[in-house]
Amino acid sequence: MIENIMTLKLNVDEELAIRKNSLCAVTPESDKRIAIVTGIHGDELEGQYICYRLVKEITENMQYLKGKVDIYPAINPLGMESVSRAVPTSGLDMNKLFSAGEDLGSNSENIGKKVVEDIMGADLCVDLHASNLFIREIPQVRIAPKNSDGLMRYARMLNTDLIWIHESGAVGDGSLAEALIEGGVPTLAVEMGVGGRIDRIYCDQLLRGIFNLMNHLGIWTEEEEHISNPVVAKDSAVHVVHSVGSGIFIPTAEHNMWLEKGSEIGEIVTPITGTRVQVITAPVSGVVFSLREYPIVYEGSVIARMLDLDNNNNQF
């Protein structure tokens, strides 16, 4: 059942609606509920495809559904229409505006409040994000260190390649994940792919993980097979590679590739002079789990993140 959780009047007699699709078992055998949220940033499109596939597979196989699945595909619809990461009317980051308190000043803050209130009481929430336009990411769950103990068992079920214990914006102050966790709803923030694109392989991988989570919660009875065992990493095992100059980044290595220390990741060149500014090499032996997608770089731009598996304490 599709319903509006909040509507706002816009200019020229238009109306903004934040909607959800609630999929309920025909004969419920479980009171468990999971919430799937995406579209907080307008340039994050991976979640749109996942929501489509999720609704399609559930409605075509209702015999396996025993609980309830709430799907929120577009929390920032104006951002999605304008391909804007921020809320176009204010320029604010929607994922810093979530609250369960009193009504706030801006429309965006009140949308965030209504979304949090509507999700409250769920047994689990999966908050789907993509990377930005500049960096490609492997499928990963990001968890704030203070929440790692409570979320780890759920994160391991989600079929990602990595669980990063990291204070990122996806789980920081004002985020949906933080607001829901404070309200008692375990929430997994997922990052993958690159902004403005849909990687169907990554989406299919995460879709299988969502169904696996639903199975373990008692919401879905069809079991998933071949769920991956993700690497768990802390910041001490992550090495960030920056550019030392400006130019065009030409990658040599591939995303999600293992490199030996000193191997070439790529080079930065200057088109007008035909010269090489920098040869970028791996600072450690490990996996390139983030890689520059947008080729224009400046001094200090992030080129890659590498996970040093030899020095990573994976005992969680």
Side-chain angles (χ1 to χ4, degrees), residues 42-251:
D43 62 350
E44 296 176 340
L45 304 181
E46 313 271 14
Q48 301 303 300
Y49 182 72
I50 290 173
C51 287
Y52 155 71
R53 287 286 307 280
L54 189 60
V55 173
K56 185 175 187 292
E57 290 199 26
I58 291 175
T59 54
E60 290 177 354
N61 299 278
M62 289 294 290
Q63 70 273 21
Y64 297 120
L65 183 61
K66 305 303 176 185
K68 186 177 182 181
V69 183
D70 283 341
I71 298 172
Y72 304 77
I75 304 303
N76 178 11
L78 292 179
M80 300 196 69
E81 289 180 7
S82 60
V83 200
S84 170
R85 190 167 185 83
V87 181
T89 54
S90 64
L92 297 173
D93 181 347
M94 187 77 204
N95 208 32
K96 296 186 182 299
L97 303 176
F98 287 95
S99 170
E102 298 179 357
D103 285 346
L104 303 168
S106 73
N107 287 335
S108 299
E109 288 171 315
N110 286 323
I111 288 171
K113 174 179 177 292
K114 292 293 185 183
V115 170
V116 170
E117 290 176 348
D118 201 75
I119 296 173
M120 281 299 174
D123 295 279
L124 189 73
C125 177
V126 180
D127 177 20
L128 301 174
H129 294 267
S131 183
N132 55 34
L133 297 172
F134 300 96
I135 304 290
R136 181 177 293 275
E137 302 280 2
I138 64 173
Q140 60 196 265
V141 179
R142 294 190 181 179
I143 301 175
K146 64 182 180 181
N147 299 321
S148 59
D149 290 342
L151 295 178
M152 189 58 63
R153 67 187 182 99
Y154 298 117
R156 289 186 182 276
M157 300 177 192
L158 202 47
N159 201 33
T160 59
D161 298 321
L162 174 67
I163 299 171
W164 188 5
I165 312 299
H166 174 61
E167 292 283 4
S168 72
V171 296
D173 291 343
S175 68
L176 177 65
E178 181 189 61
L180 289 176
I181 290 170
E182 288 182 353
V185 179
T187 302
L188 302 175
V190 176
E191 297 267 0
M192 63 180 179
V194 65
R197 301 289 184 272
I198 293 175
D199 188 318
R200 290 194 292 176
I201 293 176
Y202 284 172
C203 291
D204 289 345
Q205 177 182 343
L206 195 71
L207 185 69
R208 304 273 59 87
I210 292 172
F211 276 111
N212 185 53
L213 264 176
M214 289 165 53
N215 178 272
H216 282 272
L217 290 171
I219 297 171
W220 189 255
T221 57
E222 184 183 30
E223 292 189 17
E224 290 296 328
E225 299 180 351
H226 311 299
I227 298 299
S228 66
N229 183 29
V231 173
V232 180
K234 292 185 176 181
D235 286 339
S236 57
V238 174
H239 296 261
V240 184
V241 181
H242 296 274
S243 168
V244 299
S246 301
I248 306 295
F249 171 61
I250 309 296

